[in-house]
Amino acid sequence: MSRHLFAAVAAVAAVAAGAALALSSPALANEDAALKSAIASPGRTAENVARDAHRHPYETLTFWGLKPGLTVVEISPGGGYWTEILAPYAKATDGRYVAGVADLDNPSLSEGARKGRAAFEARFADPARYGTIAYANFGASSKPLGAPGSADMVITARNIHNWMWQEGMLDKAMADFHAVLKPGGVLAVEEHRADPRPQVAEARDGYVSTAAVVAAAEKAGFKLQDQSEINANPKDTKDHPFGVWTLPPTRQSAERGKDPAPDFDRARYDAIGESDRMTLRFVKAG
């Protein structure tokens, strides 16, 4: 009986050890080592690394379904927060990163927008670090983002509120995303969240209702697959004097075009951190 008991205990111990190994091993736990490496890269700017506590890059990208070898289109990448991660990741995993940036074919494009795109391209021009980044024009009158059904994922982070100020732009953007994605492809959305209070007209304070985003995506043919509270911030009261831009990282303290107000209570808003955001995953039916 003692031999049988010893064997049983040994078997249980072996199972437990195997489970512990699975949890500690990236391969067995299905962790993405290449993505973690890209996030930990010393090539990222200190400013963007400091934002990781608010933006949760690993959790957000894995929630959206990022995997090695995908073609990912990022819309209006701005300061390059996601570019610093996605471009090296695509290079390391034989994927492709496409930046949807200012539409150079638009004769009405401002000189500032042209210079901004040129600066962005110059910043990410090192193929040894970022691979070969592809560029697609994106704007109110731009052509398709790529060949139909050529992308696995489209990411739009903190952009949708801007499109609600331009008549027809949100519908045009969603149609562009739907066209470039493969059947089963993912539309990944991060956006400042107005809920539970109502969205103000045209989301002029930067906060959008989840219902408005879902309605626009569904109108274009997408289906909401999942949503996450990864980027929720219950401290965000959403009643700031300069809208969402009062909060970090913009930290606005005066009307646009005016110098920062020296007596503005900055600490109050810095303590909130970055905004409360929805994180949504839509799919294109296939």
Side-chain angles (χ1 to χ4, degrees), residues 33-259:
L35 180 54
K36 290 197 169 184
S37 178
I39 293 169
S41 169
R44 296 182 63 208
T45 62
E47 293 81 3
N48 282 337
V49 170
R51 298 182 68 191
D52 287 355
H54 299 289
R55 301 201 67 176
H56 314 102
Y58 185 83
E59 295 82 1
T60 299
L61 290 170
T62 52
F63 168 76
W64 282 335
L66 183 69
K67 295 180 177 64
L70 299 187
T71 293
V72 177
V73 180
E74 185 187 2
I75 303 301
S76 300
Y81 177 86
W82 289 118
T83 310
E84 287 184 351
I85 297 170
L86 292 169
Y89 179 79
K91 177 181 181 295
T93 65
D94 295 321
R96 185 168 182 255
Y97 173 76
V98 182
V101 286
D103 179 12
L104 298 180
D105 291 338
N106 181 358
S108 300
L109 187 68
S110 70
E111 188 60 26
R114 292 181 185 276
K115 289 181 178 179
R117 171 165 172 172
F120 183 90
E121 292 192 27
R123 177 182 166 191
F124 293 103
D126 182 2
R129 176 175 291 177
Y130 301 112
T132 302
I133 293 179
Y135 291 91
N137 289 334
F138 176 74
S141 59
S142 58
K143 296 175 182 177
L145 290 164
S150 60
D152 299 287
M153 180 178 290
V154 171
I155 294 176
T156 175
R158 306 173 180 233
N159 293 315
I160 289 176
H161 58 277
N162 295 316
W163 304 333
M164 301 181 83
W165 309 344
Q166 309 170 59
E167 186 176 356
M169 182 61 200
L170 180 55
D171 286 345
K172 193 264 185 189
M174 289 292 181
D176 285 351
F177 306 159
H178 194 271
V180 79
L181 281 168
K182 300 173 181 178
V186 170
L187 170 60
V189 174
E190 176 194 3
E191 182 55 81
H192 311 297
R193 177 167 55 185
D195 315 329
R197 65 146 171 91
Q199 176 186 302
V200 304
E202 298 180 322
R204 286 285 178 170
D205 62 354
Y207 289 97
V208 184
S209 73
T210 303
V213 176
V214 173
E218 290 182 343
K219 182 179 178 181
F222 290 104
K223 178 181 180 182
L224 179 63
Q225 187 178 60
D226 203 358
Q227 51 191 314
S228 172
E229 292 298 296
I230 295 167
N231 293 304
N233 181 359
K235 294 189 292 183
D236 185 3
T237 55
K238 311 176 187 184
D239 57 355
H240 319 309
F242 307 105
V244 73
W245 302 281
T246 314
L247 301 178
T250 305
R251 305 178 79 239
Q252 186 177 339
S253 62
E255 296 295 335
R256 292 184 186 275
K258 294 185 178 181
D259 293 335

